[in-house]
């Protein structure tokens, strides 16, 4: 594909945020945040998106540690129930809702990156706008669902759809990446991202749609005793920890020049995340 | 400070290249190709060789493609001869024009990204002064890489030198040439980044320090083109040749002097005066806007002098218009995008819709260090300096005589760079070791730098520099006359005197541009003095050298000027005959190479 | 209609002799089409001769004068006062050296260190293809050339490398570009060697598609596009 010359005699200096148009969309926020506009003007929106992606990824990685820790209480259902009682209030609901922001942003933005990098979708301004629009829709719908309270949606049906969507999206990405010479883990990061996209967004949505499935200890225990869910959850937890682990590994590579320290840190995160992944798998399998 | 300056280290490569521009590195690459493993050190004033001035050349590099059905090398030779106003050396013309295509191929094979024709071959465009059939119709002879030909060349020769392991001393200046028994054995180099001096001792030294026109108000040359190389020649008691021949490019963008390349006129741009008249039709009915540079420059200046120019509202400088509005959009978008962008960037004009302000800008030195056809530097009109070579814009072999055709310079850099490389490789074969640093090595530059460090005077660098620029532009510029030149010489003496009383604001030598600027200003003053002297002595008009009081060319001055200046203002002149070997060989079309009229 | 601006430049300074660094404010008046390099010269001439900065061609063609103005890496010889005021909506500017290499003095950095990254990708033809059977030049169709010619415009100003999210263990956008150009160039045959460099730990995995490189590139090269071509493994 031949790239068009961006602008005829493009007086680049003249155009504050080149190739976006997103700034028109977010101009309100921009003007208020000096910090954001500094970077939007000096590095462009893509730069901000990358940082946001990274921060969201780190938040999610931390959340996963916390998540496995809370789920481990499932070994003692009573304790879990009391914990749940403790968090069953407006403030915690708000946090749960707020968690959707990094989740969906990271998921959709990850999809955008994959589309840009390997599917040649280079009209990025539009893509960035889609990330925001879809994120907003997801977050608002989630809020609505949370306000509506418990719904009874067939978990089997829901999960089937999510699983199919995951497999399809991962297959598409895998096919595209298979013959490239990128590193295997790097490819797997993309493929796992593609798998996670429906999985995580679906998981989170479902946990609030059928409120009890996410919060009522008996319902949870009943659900995960099903072999299908067990298998899915084990796949889920290993994918997430691989993805988070490789994400952290790349970030370390960006900052640590000394190869010994780098190795040390890599071993450390592999160990910690490995332990958590193992613990997570054990929970669903042994209950 | 009282810190004693000394030579901090000694390097011993086999070859020292002073000036890692297009010419210097083409030469380095040739040496390494012929003698793999040769230790070459290349010195450059800039951050990295890639930043050398060659990378700004836009238009193209002339070469006659042997597969071309209509163009012939003899036409190219004729154009060069005619363009030079019968003052270039015919042996050089023959040598350069004949090997031109070979050098294009060298560049292409080493990775230069030439623009292509539909068949995938190297594309060519017409350029000022290049004609078919001895001046009849315009020739497609300039091979180009969009509008960044020089950059393509620079990248290619830089990368080739890198591949061959040439080592670079970046942000370093050669401050003094070293000699032993008349043989050049290297140079003292000042390394700006560390503030230290090194002696580089080599069997052969190649100088390729490029141009020098920073002494003019409006100049297309880069900040580093301050005539250092020429000054080193004076200091070593060596001559320079034809310094009076300074080319003014007709279409510099008003203000910063950035070129609106001939390529624009090649693509059909038209010059207009304030009444919108395409005035070049009046002066050069055939070639019109593609007439040679000196002619177009003078036409523009005449228009301005006779009141048909405009004054730029911001820069307050007089100018005429360049009209690009009728050029098709796809040409704007593909072939001249970068150059047109200059107007937009530097004067806020949209060339596709508006007229662009242009004015003549000091551009090129035709003269320089006199060399023979192998690029060996000459002591006088016949003897050479062993171990010292020169090529590129710095040298005068001379291909350009008193006026250069556009695109011939890049051609000269590359061909002469190669020739010198060949010669040096052969010379290295049984050249003696340069020995140790001579006793007085560096003493001259240390004295000079110590003076700067100790000076307590009241003069300001910027004032002297600006005064020099105004002086040179007014009195030694496009138009010259006896009175102006005599005055200029006197004023230059005063300026030199004042320059001895500049005081440093900071006495550090580490990456301190101030002492270096003082040093460069001295060179500009030296070179300006010689230009003025040579211009005064040449009582005729020839090529770019135009005397209002002697507007015609005169057979009495049918020679190259050699000038020596061992002491400021004390210039000794001599001559070197112009080589007429093509004419004398009496081959086909030889009559075209006689003393012909130069009319377009 | 020449308008004068009242400017404040906050310039980062560093003195290698005392190893002191500080920010110095300069106030100056300038007309609308002066460039930033002209402003520095003006400061040297009128206020402070010790301020060190670097430029060469002042045509925007060599890539020597890259600096960060209000955080944006750009070529200061191309930035007119008028445009800067429009772009940053202020008459006060911070001027900092690029961050890809250590500072030597004030605004001058050790470009040699920066260039080491470019040298790693071998910016020349490693192994030339055999000649065209009919001799002379290689034949490269304009369409093929067109697919990578934009990337050949890079002047190694390192603005992109300064803007990029990844600063360490990375070749940097411009060196990546130099490698990719030769991968796309039909005259180069050492593709394997280039691929190895490209996909190594210092290559593609370090690029996060932040596109800040494309955003700041004064030559308007869409570097992110070329790097993405590499990730996609399809240079056609
Ligand atoms: C804007 C512009 C456009 C042009 N367009 C064309 C064109 O289209 N076609 C054409 O044929 N020609 C063109 N020219 C002319 C041509 O580009 C130059 O003549 C040519 O580039 C000179 O090359 P060089 O190698 O001799 O010198 P340069 O490339 O100038 O290199 C000189 C080198 O010497 C170094 N140096 C200088 N002094 C010292 C010192 N004291 N110590 C150490 N190093 C030193 C410099 O740092 C530099 O590396 C153009 C010129 C300009 C300015
Ligand atoms: C939901 C679907 C997801 C998708 C589509 C996705 C996609 C991606 C992609 C493509 C990257 C690579 C970015 C890059 O290197 O430039 C990435 C990085 C990362 N992801 Fe995800 N991801 C998803 C979910 C998650 C989850 C659940 C976590 C945490 C548990 C996570 C943590 C990370 C981290 C830490 C990084 C590294 C960020 C960086 O390099 O700056 N991701 N993700
Ligand atoms: C606040 C919203 C969330 C709630 C209420 C919630 C709830 C739960 C519950 C109840 C389980 C138990 C297993 C099951 O029923 O399948 C579970 C498992 C899991 N959740 Fe969440 N979750 C939330 C958000 C997330 C997010 C954002 C992620 C991804 C980053 C995530 C990743 C996982 C994983 C990987 C498992 C499987 C754990 C295992 O196998 O041990 N969850 N979640
Ligand atoms: S890619 Fe652009 S920004 Fe980067 S070095 Fe090259 S010209 Fe500069
Ligand atoms: S800014 Fe850096 S992250 Fe990649 S797209 Fe450009 S190289
Ligand atoms: S000085 Fe050459 S790009 Fe600015």
């Amino acid at each position: 594909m031949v790239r068009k010359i961006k602008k005829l005699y493009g007086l680049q200096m003249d155009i504050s945020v080149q190739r976006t148009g997103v700034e028109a969309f977010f101009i309100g926020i921009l003007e208020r945040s000096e910090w954001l506009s500094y970077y939007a003007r000096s590095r462009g929106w893509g730069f901000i998106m990358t940082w946001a992606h990274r921060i969201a990824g780190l938040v999610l990685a931390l959340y996963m540690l916390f998540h496995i820790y809370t789920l481990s209480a499932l070994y003692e259902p009573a304790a879990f129930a009391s914990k749940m009682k403790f968090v069953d209030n407006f403030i915690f609901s708000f946090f749960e809702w707020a968690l959707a922001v990094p989740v969906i942003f990271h998921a959709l933005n990850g999809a955008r990156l994959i589309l840009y990098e390997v599917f040649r979708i280079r009209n990025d301004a539009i893509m960035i706008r889609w990330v925001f629009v879809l994120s907003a829709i997801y977050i608002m719908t989630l809020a609505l669902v949370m306000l509506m309270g418990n719904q009874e949606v067939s978990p089997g049906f829901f999960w089937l759809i999510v699983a199919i969507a995951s497999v399809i999206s991962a297959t598409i990405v895998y096919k595209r990446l298979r013959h490239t010479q990128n590193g295997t883990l790097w490819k797997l990061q993309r493929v796992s991202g593609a798998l996670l996209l429906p999985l995580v967004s679906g998981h989170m949505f479902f946990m609030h749609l059928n409120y009890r499935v996410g919060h009522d200890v008996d319902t949870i225990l009943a659900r995960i005793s099903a072999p299908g869910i067990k298998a899915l959850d084990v796949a889920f937890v290993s994918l997430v920890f691989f993805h988070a682990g490789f994400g952290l590994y790349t970030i370390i590579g960006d900052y640590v020049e000394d190869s010994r320290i780098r190795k040390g840190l890599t071993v450390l995160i592999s160990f910690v995340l490995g332990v958590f992944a193992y613990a997570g798998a054990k929970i669903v399998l042994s209950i | 400070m009282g810190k004693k300056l000394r030579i901090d280290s000694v390097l011993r490569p086999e070859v020292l290249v002073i000036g890692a521009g297009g010419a210097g590195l083409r030469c380095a690459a040739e040496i390494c190709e012929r003698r793999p493993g040769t230790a070459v050190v290349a010195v450059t004033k800039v951050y990295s060789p890639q930043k050398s001035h060659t990378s700004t050349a836009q238009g193209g590099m002339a070469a006659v493609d042997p597969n071309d059905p209509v163009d012939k090398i003899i036409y190219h030779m004729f154009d060069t001869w005619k363009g030079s106003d019968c003052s270039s050396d015919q042996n050089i013309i023959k040598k350069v024009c004949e090997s031109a295509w070979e050098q294009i191929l060298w560049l292409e094979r080493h990775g230069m990204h030439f623009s292509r024709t539909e068949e995938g071959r190297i594309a060519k465009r017409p350029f000022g002064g290049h004609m078919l059939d001895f001046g009849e119709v315009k020739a497609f002879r300039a091979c180009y890489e969009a509008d960044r030909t020089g950059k393509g060349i620079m990248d290619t020769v830089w990368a080739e030198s890198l591949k061959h392991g040439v080592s670079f001393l970046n942000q370093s200046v050669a401050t003094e040439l070293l000699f032993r028994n008349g043989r050049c054995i290297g140079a003292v180099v000042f390394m700006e980044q560390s503030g230290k001096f090194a002696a580089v001792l080599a069997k052969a030294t190649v100088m390729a320090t490029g141009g020098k026109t920073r002494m003019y108000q409006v100049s297309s040359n880069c900040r580093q083109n301050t005539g250092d190389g020429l000054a080193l020649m004076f200091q070593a008691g060596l001559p320079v040749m034809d310094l009076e021949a300074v080319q003014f490019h007709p279409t510099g963008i008003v203000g910063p002097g950035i070129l609106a390349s001939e390529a624009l006129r090649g693509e059909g741009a038209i010059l207009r005066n304030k009444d919108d008249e395409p005035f070049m039709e009046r002066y050069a009915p055939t070639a019109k806007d593609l007439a040679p540079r000196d002619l177009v420059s003078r036409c523009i200046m005449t228009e301005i002098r006779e009141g048909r120019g405009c004054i730029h509202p911001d820069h307050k400088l007089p100018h005429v218009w360049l009209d690009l509005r009728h050029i098709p959009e796809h040409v704007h978008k593909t072939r001249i995008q970068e150059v047109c962008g200059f107007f937009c960037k530097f004067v806020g004009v949209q060339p596709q819709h508006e007229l662009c302000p242009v004015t003549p800008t000091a551009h090129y030195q035709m003269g320089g260090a006199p060399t023979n056809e192998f690029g060996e530097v000459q002591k006088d009109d016949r003897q050479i300096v062993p171990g010292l070579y020169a090529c590129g814009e710095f040298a005068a072999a001379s291909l350009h005589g008193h006026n250069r055709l556009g695109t011939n310079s890049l051609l000269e850099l590359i061909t002469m760079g190669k020739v010198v490389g060949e010669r040096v490789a052969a010379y290295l074969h049984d050249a003696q070791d340069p020995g140790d640093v001579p006793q007085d090595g560096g003493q001259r530059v240390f004295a000079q730098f110590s003076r700067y460090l100790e000076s307590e005077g009241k003069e300001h660098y910027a004032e002297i520099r600006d005064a020099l620029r105004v002086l040179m532009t007014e009195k030694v510029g496009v138009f010259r006359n006896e009175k102006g030149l005599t005055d200029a010489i006197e004023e230059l003496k005063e300026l030199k005197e004042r320059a001895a009383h500049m005081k440093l604001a900071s006495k550090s030598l580490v990456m301190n541009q101030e002492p270096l600027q003082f040093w460069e200003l001295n060179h500009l003053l030296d070179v300006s003095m010689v230009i003025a002297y040579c211009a005064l002595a040449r009582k005729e008009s020839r090529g770019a050298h135009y005397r209002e009081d002697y507007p015609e060319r005169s057979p009495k001055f049918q020679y190259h000027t050699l000038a020596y200046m061992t002491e400021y203002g004390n210039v000794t002149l001599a001559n070197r005959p112009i080589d007429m070997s093509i004419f004398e060989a009496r081959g086909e079309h030889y009559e075209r190479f006689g003393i012909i009229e130069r009319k377009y | 209609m020449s308008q004068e601006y009242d400017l404040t430049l906050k310039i980062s300074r560093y003195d290698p002799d005392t190893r002191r660094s500080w920010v110095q404010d300069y106030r100056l008046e300038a007309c609308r089409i002066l460039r930033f390099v002209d402003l520095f010269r003006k400061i040297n001439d009128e206020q402070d001769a010790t301020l060190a900065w670097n430029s060469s061609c002042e045509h925007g063609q060599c890539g020597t004068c890259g600096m960060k103005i209000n955080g944006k890496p750009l070529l200061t010889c191309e930035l007119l006062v008028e445009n800067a005021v429009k772009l940053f909506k202020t008459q006060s500017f911070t001027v900092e050296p690029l961050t890809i290499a250590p500072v030597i003095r004030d605004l001058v950095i050790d470009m040699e260190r920066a260039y080491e990254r470019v040298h790693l990708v071998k910016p020349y033809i490693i192994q030339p293809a055999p000649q065209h059977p009919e001799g002379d030049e290689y034949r490269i169709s304009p369409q093929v050339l067109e697919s990578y010619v934009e990337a050949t415009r890079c002047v190694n100003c390192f603005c992109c490398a300064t803007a990029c999210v990844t600063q360490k263990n990375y070749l940097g956008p411009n060196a990546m570009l130099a490698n990719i150009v030769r991968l796309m160039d039909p005259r180069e045959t050492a593709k394997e060697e280039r691929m190895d460099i490209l996909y190594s730990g210092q290559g593609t995995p370090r690029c996060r598609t932040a596109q800040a490189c494309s955003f700041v590139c004064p030559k308007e090269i869409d570097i992110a596009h070329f790097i993405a071509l590499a990730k996609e493994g399809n240079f056609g």
Side-chain angles (χ1 to χ4, degrees), chain B residues 518-530:
Chain B
F518 286 12
W519 184 76
E520 289 173 345
L521 180 63
N522 253 317
H523 294 170
L524 285 175
L525 287 164
D526 289 1
V527 175
S528 300
M529 176 59 93
V530 178

Side-chain angles (χ1 to χ4, degrees), chain C residues 22-33:
Chain C
W22 71 103
V23 175
Q24 194 161 340
D25 289 8
Y26 297 95
R27 299 204 56 185
L28 64 166
E29 297 223 319
C31 88
R32 67 178 188 97
I33 55 181

Side-chain angles (χ1 to χ4, degrees), chain B residues 74-343:
Chain B
I74 189 96
Y75 302 151
H76 187 188
M77 297 190 336
F78 170 76
D79 292 338
T80 309
W81 171 247
K82 181 175 165 192
S84 76
D85 223 350
C86 306
S87 61
S88 51
D89 290 313
Q90 296 188 347
N91 52 347
I92 305 295
I93 296 188
K94 191 160 188 303
K95 191 164 191 162
V96 170
C97 292
E98 282 178 350
S99 64
W101 185 249
E102 199 182 291
Q103 290 311 308
I104 293 280
L105 292 182
W106 186 89
L107 287 166
E108 201 271 345
R109 291 199 182 124
H110 289 82
M112 186 165 160
H113 306 281
F114 282 108
S115 295
R116 301 286 170 159
T117 61
E118 278 308 315
E119 298 81 57
R121 287 172 166 263
I122 295 172
K124 301 169 199 83
R125 60 160 65 125
F127 224 82
H130 289 281
M131 313 283 250
L132 294 177
D133 298 335
F134 305 104
E136 293 305 320
V137 276
K138 63 184 180 184
F140 284 73
R141 190 182 288 156
C143 303
Y144 62 99
E145 177 180 331
D147 41 18
R148 43 180 185 276
T149 315
K151 175 177 153 26
I153 290 181
M154 198 60 238
D155 288 0
T156 308
V157 294
W158 165 67
E160 258 333 276
S161 327
L162 205 65
K163 186 171 173 178
H164 288 295
V166 170
S167 24
F168 297 105
L169 286 180
N170 298 336
Q171 290 223 307
S172 302
V173 284
T175 49
E176 187 179 319
L177 291 173
L178 297 173
F179 293 89
R180 172 163 299 120
N181 305 330
R183 171 183 171 210
C184 181
I185 55 165
V188 176
V189 174
F190 173 63
M191 295 175 291
E192 264 190 275
Q193 297 198 346
S194 57
K196 295 197 162 134
F197 289 88
V200 184
L201 299 175
K203 290 178 186 165
T205 304
V206 180
M207 292 191 68
T209 56
K212 55 125 202 277
T213 66
R214 288 307 294 190
M215 67 284 277
Y216 289 94
Q217 261 181 314
V218 182
S219 165
S220 69
N221 276 204
C222 72
R223 190 172 156 201
Q224 281 77 11
N225 278 0
T226 52
D228 305 345
L230 296 172
L232 293 190
M233 296 287 289
F234 302 145
Q235 286 165 11
L238 296 174
V240 295
M241 190 166 94
D242 291 341
L243 272 212
E244 69 276 18
V246 178
Q247 182 170 71
F248 288 80
H249 191 289
T251 53
I253 297 176
V254 170
I258 291 164
L259 283 201
S261 154
E262 245 130 353
L264 295 179
R265 279 172 290 138
E267 298 289 354
I270 295 169
L271 283 163
R272 297 179 185 276
N273 59 20
K274 106 174 167 212
D275 311 317
D276 231 20
E277 183 207 1
F279 58 85
M280 282 312 296
E281 285 176 10
R282 227 184 314 124
Y283 297 93
T286 341
K288 290 186 193 153
D289 294 278
L290 285 174
R293 293 179 172 173
D294 62 315
L295 188 70
V296 181
S297 290
R298 279 199 300 277
C299 297
I300 295 177
M301 286 313 274
T302 312
E303 289 294 303
I304 290 173
R305 281 183 162 195
E306 293 175 3
R308 290 189 295 275
C310 321
I311 298 283
H312 194 270
D314 287 298
H315 288 297
K316 312 267 184 289
L317 289 167
H319 67 89
V320 294
W321 298 114
L322 188 66
D323 187 357
L324 289 149
R325 294 170 300 180
H326 56 283
I327 294 176
E329 186 166 328
H330 71 269
V331 178
H332 269 281
K333 272 198 189 139
T334 52
R335 295 211 284 270
I336 53 175
Q337 179 207 7
E338 213 142 324
V339 186
C340 281
F342 289 160
F343 283 108

Side-chain angles (χ1 to χ4, degrees), chain A residues 169-236:
Chain A
S169 85
T171 316
I172 295 172
V173 173
Y174 173 70
K175 278 212 157 134
R176 193 78 184 200
L177 277 174
R178 189 172 44 170
H179 294 297
T180 68
Q181 300 195 20
N182 294 296
T184 319
L185 293 181
W186 189 90
K187 290 185 205 168
L188 206 54
Q189 171 87 340
R190 268 71 198 161
V191 176
S192 64
L195 262 167
L196 285 171
L197 172 63
L199 225 48
V200 176
S201 45
H203 173 75
M204 190 145 185
F205 194 73
F206 184 69
M207 290 302 166
H208 291 97
L209 192 62
N210 281 7
Y211 186 78
R212 276 204 293 277
V213 171
H215 302 81
D216 177 61
V217 64
D218 300 327
T219 324
I220 295 173
L221 288 175
R223 198 174 96 90
I224 57 175
S225 56
I229 297 293
K230 273 196 202 297
L232 198 79
D233 270 357
V234 170
F236 191 18

Side-chain angles (χ1 to χ4, degrees), chain A residues 60 63-64 67-68 71 74 80 96 99 103 200 203-204 207-208 213-215 220 223-224 229 233-234 236-237 240 279-281 283-284:
Chain A
L60 291 184
Y63 176 76
M64 267 323 288
H67 198 36
I68 295 299
L71 287 179
L74 280 174
F80 187 82
E96 280 191 4
L99 181 66
V103 168
V200 176
H203 173 75
M204 190 145 185
M207 290 302 166
H208 291 97
V213 171
H215 302 81
I220 295 173
R223 198 174 96 90
I224 57 175
I229 297 293
D233 270 357
V234 170
F236 191 18
V237 79
V240 164
I283 296 169
V284 275

Side-chain angles (χ1 to χ4, degrees), chain A residues 5 7-12, chain B residues 332-333 337 340 344 350 352:
Chain A
I5 292 155
K7 282 177 300 314
L8 187 52
Y9 321 133
L11 182 60
Q12 187 210 14
Chain B
H332 269 281
K333 272 198 189 139
Q337 179 207 7
C340 281
C344 200
Q350 286 288 342
Q352 229 180 335

Side-chain angles (χ1 to χ4, degrees), chain A residues 21-43:
Chain A
V22 186
E23 103 279 14
F25 191 72
F26 281 92
I27 199 86
I29 315 169
L30 239 183
E31 274 173 359
R32 251 167 276 137
S33 162
E34 206 170 286
W35 184 78
L36 263 189
S37 67
Y38 173 84
Y39 283 105
R41 224 170 257 158
S42 65
R43 311 285 159 93

